[in-house]
Amino acid sequence: QKEVEQDPGPLSVPEGAIVSLNCTYSNSAFQYFMWYRQYSRKGPELLMYTYSSGNKEDGRFTAQVDKSSKYISLFIRDSQPSDSATYLCAPTGNFNKFYFGSGTKLNVKP
Amino acid sequence: NAGVTQTPKFRVLKTGQSMTLLCAQDMNHEYMYWYRQDPGMGLRLIHYSVGEGTTAKGEVPDGYNVSRLKKQNFLLGLESAAPSQTSVYFCASGRGGGGSYEQYFGPGTRLTVT
């Protein structure tokens, strides 16, 4: 069983739509949950992260963690064409090993 | 600050050839990582280092070696390249402490082994 499962998409939405990106994980020891954004032919960059269960909001982005069901979500409100990228979830329990999902490719059409 | 830089950006090797990928960071980070990214597989950790002079195996270490002789540099070596090592390689660094789990990634090296 993979440590992290993520729907690869691609996901295509019109500008202004609400986007929901999701991951499931198997290791109950994970406590930090990160979302990275990766533009085409670039390295990933950290978008936001949460600790343990709950929600965290940053502008148009909201990260949500449900540890009881081992489910991670990222919501994007009022999506923009500039949000078109691949989004990677990355839960971890320590600094030594990070497990990345395979990434969901998002395309926001103007 | 340049952040994390990787050399070279592109490389084509023949099977059996060797090469070294260089990663450099100017953020004084203790932790450094090498990943490979393949379609549908996400980022997989090859090797990592928790400080100068230390290295450890990640998820997919076979066929690779690493060295961290200086804190700012992390080298990834392929002794005898195989077509299965065709991939995009990313280096990352991080503070590894103080509640900061953020990794800073380089731009990647696209390697093709024929």
Side-chain angles (χ1 to χ4, degrees), chain A residues 23-43:
Chain A
C23 289
T24 58
Y25 64 95
S26 57
N27 191 335
S28 57
F30 290 155
Q31 294 200 67
Y32 288 84
F33 304 89
M34 281 148 290
W35 283 95
Y36 282 82
R37 178 173 60 195
Q38 185 176 21
Y39 291 112
S40 181
R41 295 188 167 261
K42 301 285 187 186

Side-chain angles (χ1 to χ4, degrees), chain B residues 38-78:
Chain B
D38 303 292
M41 300 293 289
L43 286 159
R44 290 183 293 168
L45 184 64
I46 304 171
H47 287 281
Y48 65 96
S49 168
V50 302
E52 181 178 314
T54 74
T55 63
K57 293 180 181 179
E59 185 183 356
V60 289
D62 294 342
Y64 305 95
N65 56 75
V66 288
S67 64
R68 183 119 181 253
L69 299 179
K70 292 183 179 181
K71 186 177 182 179
Q72 63 268 34
N73 295 337
F74 196 27
L75 278 62
L76 178 71
L78 286 74

Side-chain angles (χ1 to χ4, degrees), chain A residues 2 32 34 36 38 40-46 49 86 88 92-103, chain B residues 10 31 33 35 37 40-43 45 48 50 57-59 90 96-97 99-103 105-107 110:
Chain A
K2 281 187 178 180
Y32 288 84
M34 281 148 290
Y36 282 82
Q38 185 176 21
S40 181
R41 295 188 167 261
K42 301 285 187 186
E45 55 181 356
L46 183 68
Y49 74 92
T86 297
L88 304 154
T92 188
N94 60 62
F95 300 108
N96 295 346
K97 292 184 179 177
F98 293 79
Y99 296 94
F100 285 80
S102 56
Chain B
F10 304 93
Y31 285 61
Y33 312 82
Y35 293 90
Q37 187 174 39
M41 300 293 289
L43 286 159
L45 184 64
Y48 65 96
V50 302
K57 293 180 181 179
E59 185 183 356
F90 287 101
S100 172
Y101 283 83
E102 180 171 4
Q103 293 183 75
F105 284 83
R110 293 182 174 273

